[in-house]
Amino acid sequence: TGSNIEGERMAQNKKRKNCRFMKEDKCIVDYKDVRMLSKLITPQGKLYSRKRSGACAYAQRRIKVAVKRARFLALLPFVGR
């Protein structure tokens, strides 16, 4: 029973990682927010990983679509800055 108590303590101490784009269960990613989107792409024009951008899987997919829309509308460059 001693190991079970340790396991429960470890579960309580684990901090849940929060997505910085999810506010009150809504994803706040918009293709018109060029300043925010430009921080999420590398100088070569690739998207940063979820770990580096701090996004959950759902938000990362929304970011991908937003970057594609912004590029299509010439708000963001396809390559380079």
Side-chain angles (χ1 to χ4, degrees), residues 18-58:
N18 293 331
C19 174
R20 67 180 193 157
F21 299 102
M22 299 296 281
K23 301 292 181 195
E24 299 171 5
D25 295 333
K26 292 191 178 185
C27 190
I28 52 164
V29 177
D30 189 18
Y31 71 93
K32 294 172 278 192
D33 192 357
V34 179
R35 181 177 293 162
M36 187 262 305
L37 291 176
S38 63
K39 292 178 183 177
L40 299 173
I41 57 176
T42 65
Q44 291 82 23
K46 298 179 181 180
L47 282 178
Y48 281 121
S49 65
R50 284 179 45 201
K51 189 172 185 178
R52 179 141 184 197
S53 66
C56 62
Y58 177 74

